[in-house]
Coordinates of all heavy atoms in Angstrom, one line a residue:
M1 N 227.7 240.8 -0.8 CA 228.3 239.8 0.1 C 228.3 240.5 1.5 O 228.7 241.6 1.7 CB 229.8 239.6 -0.3 CG 230.4 238.5 0.5 SD 229.9 236.8 0.0 CE 230.7 236.7 -1.6
Q2 N 227.7 239.8 2.5 CA 227.6 240.3 3.8 C 228.2 239.3 4.8 O 228.2 238.1 4.6 CB 226.1 240.5 4.2 CG 225.3 241.4 3.4 CD 223.9 241.4 3.7 OE1 223.3 240.5 4.2 NE2 223.2 242.6 3.5
I3 N 228.7 239.8 5.9 CA 229.1 239.0 7.0 C 228.0 239.2 8.1 O 227.7 240.3 8.5 CB 230.5 239.4 7.6 CG1 231.5 239.3 6.5 CG2 230.8 238.6 8.8 CD1 232.9 239.8 6.9
V4 N 227.4 238.0 8.4 CA 226.2 238.0 9.3 C 226.5 237.2 10.5 O 227.1 236.1 10.4 CB 225.0 237.4 8.5 CG1 223.8 237.4 9.4 CG2 224.7 238.2 7.3
E5 N 226.1 237.7 11.7 CA 226.2 236.9 12.9 C 224.9 236.4 13.3 O 223.9 237.1 13.4 CB 226.7 237.8 14.1 CG 226.9 237.1 15.4 CD 227.2 238.0 16.5 OE1 226.3 238.7 17.0 OE2 228.4 237.9 16.9
L6 N 224.8 235.0 13.4 CA 223.6 234.3 13.8 C 223.7 233.9 15.2 O 224.7 233.3 15.6 CB 223.4 233.1 12.9 CG 223.1 233.3 11.4 CD1 223.1 232.0 10.7 CD2 221.8 234.0 11.2
D7 N 222.7 234.2 16.0 CA 222.7 233.7 17.4 C 221.5 232.8 17.5 O 220.3 233.2 17.4 CB 222.5 235.0 18.3 CG 222.6 234.6 19.8 OD1 223.2 233.5 20.1 OD2 222.2 235.4 20.6
I8 N 221.7 231.5 17.7 CA 220.7 230.5 17.7 C 220.6 229.9 19.1 O 221.6 229.5 19.7 CB 221.0 229.4 16.7 CG1 221.2 230.0 15.3 CG2 219.9 228.3 16.8 CD1 221.8 229.0 14.3
K9 N 219.4 230.0 19.7 CA 219.1 229.4 21.0 C 218.1 228.3 20.8 O 217.1 228.5 20.3 CB 218.6 230.5 22.0 CG 219.6 231.5 22.3 CD 219.1 232.6 23.2 CE 220.2 233.6 23.4 NZ 219.8 234.6 24.4
L10 N 218.5 227.1 21.3 CA 217.6 225.9 21.1 C 217.8 225.0 22.3 O 218.8 225.0 23.0 CB 217.9 225.3 19.8 CG 219.3 224.8 19.5 CD1 219.3 223.3 19.3 CD2 219.8 225.5 18.3
P11 N 216.8 224.1 22.5 CA 216.9 223.1 23.5 C 218.0 222.2 23.3 O 218.3 221.7 22.2 CB 215.5 222.4 23.5 CG 214.6 223.2 22.6 CD 215.5 224.1 21.8
Y12 N 218.7 221.9 24.4 CA 219.9 221.0 24.3 C 219.6 219.6 23.9 O 220.4 219.0 23.3 CB 220.6 221.0 25.7 CG 221.9 220.3 25.7 CD1 223.1 220.9 25.1 CD2 222.1 219.0 26.2 CE1 224.3 220.2 25.0 CE2 223.3 218.4 26.2 CZ 224.3 218.9 25.6 OH 225.5 218.3 25.6
D13 N 218.4 219.1 24.3 CA 218.0 217.7 24.0 C 218.0 217.4 22.5 O 218.6 216.4 22.1 CB 216.7 217.4 24.6 CG 216.6 217.5 26.1 OD1 217.7 217.4 26.7 OD2 215.6 217.7 26.6
G14 N 217.4 218.3 21.7 CA 217.3 218.0 20.2 C 218.4 218.7 19.4 O 218.2 218.8 18.2
R15 N 219.5 219.1 20.0 CA 220.5 219.9 19.3 C 221.2 219.1 18.2 O 221.5 219.6 17.2 CB 221.5 220.4 20.3 CG 222.4 221.4 19.7 CD 223.3 222.0 20.8 NE 224.4 221.2 21.1 CZ 225.5 221.6 21.7 NH1 225.6 222.8 22.2 NH2 226.5 220.8 21.9
G16 N 221.5 217.8 18.4 CA 222.2 217.0 17.5 C 221.5 216.9 16.1 O 222.1 217.0 15.1
K17 N 220.2 216.6 16.1 CA 219.5 216.5 14.9 C 219.4 217.8 14.1 O 219.6 217.9 12.9 CB 218.0 216.1 15.2 CG 217.9 214.7 15.8 CD 216.4 214.5 16.1 CE 216.3 213.2 16.9 NZ 214.9 213.0 17.3
I18 N 219.3 218.9 14.8 CA 219.2 220.2 14.2 C 220.5 220.7 13.6 O 220.6 221.2 12.6 CB 218.6 221.2 15.2 CG1 217.2 220.9 15.5 CG2 218.7 222.7 14.7 CD1 216.5 221.7 16.6
L19 N 221.6 220.4 14.3 CA 222.9 220.8 13.9 C 223.3 220.2 12.5 O 223.9 220.8 11.7 CB 224.0 220.5 14.9 CG 224.0 221.4 16.2 CD1 225.1 220.9 17.1 CD2 224.2 222.8 15.8
G20 N 222.9 218.9 12.3 CA 223.2 218.3 11.0 C 222.5 219.0 9.9 O 223.1 219.2 8.8
R21 N 221.3 219.3 10.1 CA 220.5 220.0 9.0 C 220.9 221.4 8.9 O 221.0 221.9 7.7 CB 219.0 219.9 9.4 CG 218.5 218.4 9.3 CD 217.1 218.3 9.7 NE 216.2 219.1 8.9 CZ 215.0 219.5 9.3 NH1 214.5 219.1 10.5 NH2 214.2 220.2 8.5
L22 N 221.3 222.0 10.0 CA 221.8 223.4 9.9 C 223.2 223.5 9.1 O 223.4 224.4 8.3 CB 222.0 223.9 11.3 CG 222.5 225.3 11.5 CD1 221.5 226.3 11.1 CD2 223.0 225.5 12.9
Y23 N 224.0 222.5 9.4 CA 225.3 222.5 8.7 C 225.2 222.3 7.2 O 225.9 222.9 6.4 CB 226.2 221.3 9.3 CG 227.5 221.3 8.6 CD1 228.5 222.2 8.9 CD2 227.9 220.2 7.8 CE1 229.7 222.2 8.3 CE2 229.1 220.2 7.2 CZ 230.0 221.1 7.4 OH 231.2 221.1 6.8
E24 N 224.2 221.6 6.7 CA 223.9 221.4 5.3 C 223.6 222.8 4.6 O 224.0 223.0 3.5 CB 222.8 220.5 5.1 CG 223.1 219.0 5.4 CD 221.9 218.1 5.2 OE1 220.8 218.6 4.8 OE2 222.0 217.0 5.6
K25 N 223.0 223.7 5.4 CA 222.6 225.0 4.8 C 223.8 226.0 4.8 O 223.9 226.8 3.9 CB 221.4 225.6 5.6 CG 220.2 224.8 5.5 CD 219.6 224.9 4.1 CE 218.3 224.2 4.1 NZ 217.7 224.2 2.8
V26 N 224.6 225.9 5.8 CA 225.7 226.9 5.9 C 227.1 226.4 5.6 O 228.1 227.0 5.8 CB 225.7 227.6 7.3 CG1 224.4 228.4 7.5 CG2 225.9 226.6 8.4
R27 N 227.2 225.2 5.1 CA 228.5 224.6 4.8 C 229.3 225.5 3.8 O 228.8 225.9 2.8 CB 228.3 223.2 4.1 CG 229.6 222.5 3.7 CD 229.3 221.2 3.1 NE 228.4 220.4 3.8 CZ 227.8 219.4 3.3 NH1 227.9 219.1 2.1 NH2 227.0 218.7 4.1
G28 N 230.5 225.7 4.2 CA 231.4 226.5 3.3 C 231.3 228.0 3.5 O 232.1 228.7 3.0
K29 N 230.4 228.4 4.3 CA 230.1 229.9 4.5 C 230.5 230.3 5.9 O 230.5 231.5 6.2 CB 228.6 230.2 4.3 CG 228.1 229.8 3.0 CD 226.6 230.1 2.9 CE 226.1 229.6 1.6 NZ 224.6 229.8 1.5
I30 N 230.9 229.4 6.8 CA 231.1 229.7 8.2 C 232.5 230.4 8.4 O 233.5 229.8 7.9 CB 231.0 228.5 9.1 CG1 229.6 227.9 9.0 CG2 231.4 228.8 10.5 CD1 229.5 226.6 9.7
R31 N 232.6 231.5 9.0 CA 233.8 232.2 9.3 C 234.3 231.8 10.8 O 235.4 231.6 11.0 CB 233.7 233.7 9.2 CG 233.7 234.1 7.8 CD 233.8 235.6 7.6 NE 235.0 236.1 8.2 CZ 235.2 237.3 8.7 NH1 234.2 238.1 8.7 NH2 236.4 237.6 9.2
D32 N 233.3 231.8 11.7 CA 233.6 231.6 13.1 C 232.4 231.0 13.7 O 231.2 231.4 13.4 CB 234.0 232.9 13.8 CG 234.5 232.8 15.2 OD1 235.0 231.7 15.5 OD2 234.4 233.8 15.9
I33 N 232.6 230.1 14.7 CA 231.4 229.5 15.4 C 231.8 229.2 16.8 O 232.9 228.8 17.1 CB 231.0 228.2 14.6 CG1 229.7 227.7 15.2 CG2 232.0 227.1 14.6 CD1 229.0 226.6 14.3
H34 N 230.8 229.4 17.7 CA 231.0 229.1 19.1 C 229.8 228.4 19.6 O 228.7 228.8 19.4 CB 231.2 230.5 19.9 CG 232.3 231.3 19.5 ND1 233.6 231.0 20.0 CD2 232.5 232.3 18.7 CE1 234.4 231.9 19.5 NE2 233.8 232.7 18.7
F35 N 230.1 227.3 20.4 CA 229.0 226.5 21.0 C 229.1 226.8 22.5 O 230.1 226.7 23.2 CB 229.2 225.0 20.8 CG 229.1 224.7 19.4 CD1 230.2 224.5 18.6 CD2 227.9 224.4 18.8 CE1 230.1 224.1 17.3 CE2 227.8 224.0 17.5 CZ 228.9 223.9 16.7
F36 N 228.0 227.3 23.1 CA 227.9 227.6 24.5 C 227.1 226.5 25.2 O 226.2 225.9 24.7 CB 227.3 228.9 24.8 CG 228.1 230.1 24.2 CD1 227.7 230.6 23.0 CD2 229.1 230.5 24.9 CE1 228.5 231.7 22.5 CE2 229.9 231.6 24.4 CZ 229.6 232.1 23.2
P37 N 227.5 226.1 26.5 CA 226.8 225.0 27.2 C 225.4 225.5 27.6 O 225.1 226.7 27.6 CB 227.7 224.8 28.4 CG 228.4 226.1 28.6 CD 228.6 226.7 27.2
P38 N 224.6 224.5 27.9 CA 223.2 224.8 28.2 C 223.1 225.6 29.6 O 223.9 225.4 30.5 CB 222.5 223.5 28.3 CG 223.6 222.5 28.5 CD 224.8 223.1 27.9
D39 N 222.1 226.4 29.7 CA 221.9 227.1 30.9 C 221.0 226.3 31.9 O 220.8 225.1 31.6 CB 221.2 228.5 30.7 CG 219.9 228.4 30.0 OD1 219.4 227.3 29.8 OD2 219.3 229.5 29.7
A40 N 220.6 226.8 33.0 CA 219.8 226.1 33.9 C 218.5 225.6 33.4 O 217.9 224.6 33.9 CB 219.6 226.9 35.2
K41 N 218.0 226.2 32.4 CA 216.7 225.9 31.8 C 216.9 224.8 30.6 O 215.9 224.4 30.1 CB 216.0 227.1 31.2 CG 215.6 228.1 32.3 CD 214.9 229.3 31.7 CE 214.7 230.3 32.7 NZ 214.1 231.6 32.2
G42 N 218.1 224.5 30.3 CA 218.4 223.5 29.2 C 218.4 224.1 27.8 O 218.3 223.4 26.9
I43 N 218.6 225.4 27.7 CA 218.7 226.1 26.4 C 220.2 226.3 26.1 O 220.9 226.9 26.9 CB 218.0 227.4 26.5 CG1 216.5 227.2 26.8 CG2 218.1 228.1 25.1 CD1 215.7 226.4 25.9
S44 N 220.7 225.8 25.0 CA 222.1 226.0 24.6 C 222.1 227.1 23.5 O 221.1 227.4 22.8 CB 222.7 224.7 24.1 OG 222.1 224.3 22.9
E45 N 223.3 227.7 23.3 CA 223.4 228.8 22.4 C 224.5 228.5 21.4 O 225.6 227.9 21.8 CB 223.7 230.1 23.1 CG 223.8 231.3 22.3 CD 224.1 232.5 23.1 OE1 224.1 232.5 24.3 OE2 224.3 233.6 22.5
I46 N 224.3 228.8 20.1 CA 225.3 228.7 19.1 C 225.4 230.0 18.4 O 224.4 230.6 18.0 CB 224.8 227.7 18.0 CG1 224.6 226.3 18.7 CG2 225.9 227.5 16.9 CD1 223.8 225.4 17.8
R47 N 226.6 230.6 18.4 CA 226.8 231.9 17.8 C 227.8 231.7 16.6 O 228.9 231.1 16.8 CB 227.4 232.9 18.8 CG 227.3 234.3 18.3 CD 227.7 235.3 19.4 NE 226.7 235.2 20.4 CZ 227.0 235.5 21.7 NH1 228.2 235.9 22.0 NH2 226.1 235.5 22.6
M48 N 227.4 232.1 15.4 CA 228.3 231.9 14.3 C 228.3 233.1 13.4 O 227.3 233.8 13.3 CB 227.9 230.6 13.5 CG 226.6 230.7 12.8 SD 226.2 229.3 11.8 CE 225.8 228.1 13.0
E49 N 229.4 233.3 12.7 CA 229.5 234.3 11.7 C 229.6 233.6 10.4 O 230.4 232.7 10.2 CB 230.8 235.2 11.9 CG 230.8 236.0 13.1 CD 232.0 236.8 13.3 OE1 232.9 236.9 12.4 OE2 232.2 237.4 14.4
I50 N 228.8 234.0 9.4 CA 228.8 233.4 8.1 C 228.9 234.5 7.0 O 228.6 235.7 7.3 CB 227.6 232.6 7.8 CG1 226.3 233.4 8.0 CG2 227.6 231.4 8.8 CD1 225.1 232.6 7.5
V51 N 229.4 234.1 5.9 CA 229.5 235.0 4.7 C 228.3 234.6 3.8 O 228.2 233.5 3.4 CB 230.8 234.9 4.0 CG1 230.8 235.7 2.7 CG2 232.0 235.2 4.9
E52 N 227.4 235.6 3.5 CA 226.2 235.2 2.8 C 225.8 236.4 1.9 O 226.0 237.5 2.2 CB 225.0 235.0 3.8 CG 223.7 234.7 3.2 CD 223.7 233.3 2.4 OE1 224.4 232.4 2.8 OE2 223.1 233.3 1.4
D53 N 225.3 236.0 0.7 CA 224.8 237.0 -0.3 C 223.4 237.5 0.1 O 223.1 238.7 0.0 CB 224.8 236.4 -1.7 CG 226.2 236.2 -2.2 OD1 227.1 237.0 -1.8 OD2 226.4 235.2 -2.9
D54 N 222.5 236.6 0.4 CA 221.1 236.9 0.7 C 220.7 236.4 2.1 O 220.2 235.3 2.3 CB 220.2 236.2 -0.4 CG 218.8 236.6 -0.3 OD1 218.5 237.6 0.4 OD2 218.0 236.0 -1.0
A55 N 221.0 237.2 3.1 CA 220.8 236.9 4.5 C 219.3 236.6 4.9 O 219.0 235.7 5.6 CB 221.4 237.9 5.4
P56 N 218.4 237.4 4.4 CA 217.0 237.2 4.7 C 216.5 235.8 4.2 O 215.7 235.2 4.9 CB 216.2 238.3 4.1 CG 217.2 239.4 4.0 CD 218.5 238.8 3.8
R57 N 216.9 235.4 3.1 CA 216.5 234.1 2.5 C 217.0 233.0 3.4 O 216.3 232.1 3.7 CB 217.0 234.0 1.1 CG 216.5 232.7 0.4 CD 217.2 232.4 -0.9 NE 218.6 232.5 -0.9 CZ 219.4 231.5 -0.5 NH1 218.9 230.4 -0.1 NH2 220.7 231.6 -0.5
L58 N 218.3 233.1 3.8 CA 218.9 232.1 4.6 C 218.2 232.0 5.9 O 218.0 230.9 6.5 CB 220.4 232.4 4.8 CG 221.1 231.4 5.7 CD1 221.2 230.0 5.1 CD2 222.5 231.9 6.1
L59 N 217.9 233.2 6.5 CA 217.2 233.2 7.8 C 215.8 232.5 7.7 O 215.5 231.8 8.6 CB 217.1 234.7 8.3 CG 216.5 234.8 9.7 CD1 217.5 234.3 10.7 CD2 216.3 236.3 9.9
S60 N 215.1 232.7 6.6 CA 213.8 232.1 6.5 C 214.0 230.6 6.4 O 213.2 229.8 6.9 CB 213.0 232.6 5.3 OG 213.7 232.3 4.1
E61 N 215.0 230.1 5.7 CA 215.3 228.7 5.6 C 215.6 228.1 6.9 O 215.2 227.0 7.3 CB 216.4 228.4 4.6 CG 216.0 228.6 3.2 CD 217.1 228.4 2.2 OE1 218.2 227.9 2.6 OE2 217.0 228.7 1.0
L62 N 216.4 228.8 7.7 CA 216.8 228.3 9.0 C 215.7 228.3 10.0 O 215.6 227.4 10.9 CB 218.0 229.1 9.6 CG 219.3 229.1 8.8 CD1 220.3 230.0 9.5 CD2 219.8 227.7 8.7
R63 N 214.8 229.2 9.9 CA 213.6 229.2 10.8 C 212.7 228.0 10.5 O 212.0 227.5 11.4 CB 212.8 230.5 10.6 CG 213.5 231.6 11.3 CD 212.6 232.8 11.4 NE 213.4 233.8 12.2 CZ 213.2 235.1 12.1 NH1 212.4 235.6 11.2 NH2 213.9 235.9 12.8
K64 N 212.7 227.5 9.3 CA 211.9 226.3 9.0 C 212.6 225.1 9.7 O 211.9 224.1 10.1 CB 211.9 226.0 7.5 CG 211.1 227.1 6.7 CD 211.1 226.8 5.2 CE 210.4 227.9 4.5 NZ 210.6 227.8 3.0
I65 N 213.9 225.1 9.8 CA 214.6 223.9 10.4 C 214.5 224.0 11.9 O 214.2 223.0 12.6 CB 216.1 224.0 10.0 CG1 216.2 223.7 8.5 CG2 216.9 222.9 10.8 CD1 217.6 223.9 8.0
I66 N 214.7 225.2 12.5 CA 214.7 225.4 13.9 C 213.3 225.9 14.4 O 213.1 227.1 14.4 CB 215.8 226.4 14.4 CG1 217.1 225.9 13.9 CG2 215.8 226.6 15.9 CD1 218.3 226.8 14.0
K67 N 212.5 225.0 14.8 CA 211.1 225.3 15.2 C 211.0 225.6 16.7 O 210.2 226.4 17.1 CB 210.1 224.3 14.7 CG 210.1 224.1 13.2 CD 209.2 223.0 12.8 CE 209.3 223.0 11.3 NZ 208.7 221.8 10.7
D68 N 211.7 224.9 17.5 CA 211.6 225.0 18.9 C 212.6 226.1 19.5 O 212.6 226.4 20.7 CB 212.0 223.7 19.6 CG 210.9 222.7 19.3 OD1 209.8 223.1 19.0 OD2 211.2 221.5 19.4
G69 N 213.4 226.7 18.7 CA 214.4 227.6 19.1 C 214.1 229.0 18.7 O 213.1 229.3 18.2
K70 N 215.1 229.9 18.9 CA 215.0 231.3 18.6 C 216.3 231.7 17.8 O 217.4 231.3 18.2 CB 214.9 232.1 19.8 CG 214.8 233.6 19.7 CD 214.7 234.3 21.0 CE 214.7 235.7 20.8 NZ 214.7 236.4 22.1
I71 N 216.1 232.4 16.7 CA 217.2 232.9 15.8 C 217.2 234.4 15.8 O 216.1 235.0 15.5 CB 217.1 232.3 14.4 CG1 217.1 230.8 14.4 CG2 218.3 232.8 13.6 CD1 216.8 230.2 13.1
T72 N 218.3 235.0 16.0 CA 218.5 236.4 15.8 C 219.7 236.6 14.9 O 220.6 235.8 14.9 CB 218.6 237.2 17.1 OG1 219.8 236.7 17.8 CG2 217.4 237.1 17.9
F73 N 219.7 237.6 14.1 CA 220.9 237.9 13.3 C 221.2 239.4 13.2 O 220.3 240.2 13.5 CB 220.7 237.3 11.9 CG 219.9 238.2 10.9 CD1 220.5 238.9 10.0 CD2 218.5 238.2 11.0 CE1 219.8 239.7 9.1 CE2 217.8 239.0 10.1 CZ 218.4 239.8 9.2
K74 N 222.5 239.6 12.9 CA 223.0 241.0 12.9 C 223.9 241.0 11.7 O 224.8 240.2 11.6 CB 223.6 241.3 14.2 CG 224.2 242.7 14.3 CD 224.8 243.0 15.6 CE 225.3 241.9 16.5 NZ 226.0 242.3 17.7
V75 N 223.8 242.0 10.9 CA 224.7 242.2 9.8 C 226.0 243.0 10.3 O 225.8 244.1 10.8 CB 224.1 243.0 8.6 CG1 225.1 243.3 7.5 CG2 222.9 242.3 8.1
L76 N 227.1 242.3 10.2 CA 228.4 242.9 10.8 C 229.0 243.8 9.7 O 229.6 244.9 10.1 CB 229.3 241.8 11.2 CG 228.8 240.9 12.3 CD1 229.8 239.9 12.7 CD2 228.5 241.7 13.6
S77 N 229.0 243.4 8.5 CA 229.6 244.3 7.4 C 229.1 243.9 6.1 O 228.6 242.8 5.9 CB 231.2 244.1 7.4 OG 231.5 242.9 6.9
E78 N 229.1 244.8 5.2 CA 228.7 244.6 3.8 C 229.8 245.0 2.9 O 230.6 245.9 3.1 CB 227.5 245.5 3.5 CG 226.2 245.1 4.3 CD 225.0 245.8 3.8 OE1 224.9 245.9 2.6 OE2 224.2 246.1 4.7
A79 N 229.9 244.2 1.8 CA 231.0 244.5 0.8 C 230.4 245.1 -0.5 O 229.3 245.1 -0.8 CB 231.7 243.2 0.5

């Protein structure tokens, strides 16, 4: 069991469609989530902490969903 911080940057225009599909993947695993407003270039940021057993597998699934954005992750703790 790992606590992973995901930092997702994506265009503000298509954020609604992506958030619905993203929520299906991480439902019930979210510990904390923050939505940041778009910057001058129109890129918004979502930062969330989730509890996950297999973080690399989840990251590969999320990259299939988020094609126009950028995802980074950091393992905060392991149990």
